[in-house]
């Protein structure tokens, strides 16, 4: 009887362990898919910006998305300088350094090297920035809900 108990306990332990490993592998595959999708959206935002296609960018912004911009202003992204057309770029390179996935919320962190153009502040200068973008899945669509970008001061 004791032998049967240990055999059943070992079988249950094996089933639970196998289930946990399968669940972990499934979560890893899901996270890889999410990260790939978010990285694609990040690059699309840059591509749209360089083409001055703010309407395409805005399709991926939540209606309440806020940005703490490099001019030390906290504004609704849809009312900020990019949407107003007063901030445009000849070059914009975004280097995603970290993607953190927490369910339906994703934090993206990294560096940006930008060159504003035209009547934009600092037009023609190369500017180094750090950024954090926050994405949230809403009604089966990833939308940017927040952004922080700050200029890296030279030493």
């Amino acid at each position: 009887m004791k032998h049967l108990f240990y055999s059943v306990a070992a079988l249950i332990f094996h089933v639970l362990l196998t289930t946990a490993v399968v669940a972990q592998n499934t979560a890893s595959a899901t996270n890889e898919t999410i990260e790939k999708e978010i990285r694609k959206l990040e690059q699309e935002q840059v591509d749209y910006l360089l083409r001055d296609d703010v309407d395409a960018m805005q399709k991926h912004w939540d209606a309440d998305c806020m940005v703490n911009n490099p001019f030390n202003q906290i504004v609704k992204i849809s009312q900020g300088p990019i949407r107003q057309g007063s901030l445009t770029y000849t070059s914009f390179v975004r280097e995603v350094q970290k993607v953190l996935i927490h369910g339906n919320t994703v934090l993206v962190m990294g560096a940006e090297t930008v060159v504003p153009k035209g009547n934009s502040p600092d037009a023609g200068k190369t500017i180094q920035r750090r950024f954090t973008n926050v994405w949230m899945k809403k009604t089966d669509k990833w939308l940017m809900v927040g952004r922080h970008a700050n200029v890296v001061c030279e030493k």
Side-chain angles (χ1 to χ4, degrees):
M1 187 66 149
K2 215 178 200 185
H3 180 68
L4 179 61
F5 172 77
Y6 288 120
S7 295
V8 170
L11 178 62
I12 291 172
F13 176 74
H14 178 72
V15 168
L16 290 174
L17 184 61
T18 301
T19 302
V21 168
V22 169
Q24 183 177 7
N25 289 342
T26 301
S28 292
T30 300
N31 283 351
E32 286 177 25
T33 301
I34 291 170
E35 181 170 343
K36 200 178 283 188
E37 186 174 354
I38 293 298
R39 284 178 179 271
K40 180 178 180 267
L41 288 168
E42 287 284 339
Q43 187 57 49
E44 285 177 357
Q45 290 288 292
V46 170
D47 294 343
Y48 294 143
L49 183 62
L50 288 171
R51 291 195 310 259
D52 297 324
D53 191 351
V54 181
D55 291 336
M57 289 180 74
Q58 194 164 348
K59 290 178 184 177
H60 298 285
W61 296 344
D62 184 70
D64 296 322
C65 183
M66 298 294 289
V67 60
N68 188 345
N69 68 29
F71 308 109
N72 298 317
Q73 303 164 327
I74 299 173
V75 297
K76 202 168 189 179
I77 199 168
S78 61
Q79 298 167 348
I82 288 179
R83 177 73 261 184
Q84 295 169 355
S86 61
L87 183 57
T88 56
Y89 298 94
T90 58
S91 177
F92 193 117
V93 177
R94 178 174 291 157
E95 179 188 351
V96 173
Q97 296 170 333
K98 189 69 175 173
V99 177
L100 301 167
I101 301 167
H102 299 282
N104 71 335
T105 304
V106 179
L107 299 169
V108 180
M109 299 174 189
E112 297 172 338
T113 303
V114 300
V115 180
K117 69 179 180 180
N119 293 327
S120 300
D122 295 319
K125 293 182 182 176
T126 299
I127 300 168
Q128 302 295 321
R129 301 194 303 213
R130 300 294 301 164
F131 79 93
T132 300
N133 290 336
V134 182
W135 295 83
M136 187 174 284
K137 192 150 199 181
K138 294 186 169 191
T139 59
D140 293 328
K141 184 177 178 181
W142 288 103
L143 298 173
M144 186 181 294
V145 296
R147 173 171 166 75
H148 178 106
N150 66 282
V151 174
V152 176
C153 296
E154 293 183 27
K155 293 183 180 188

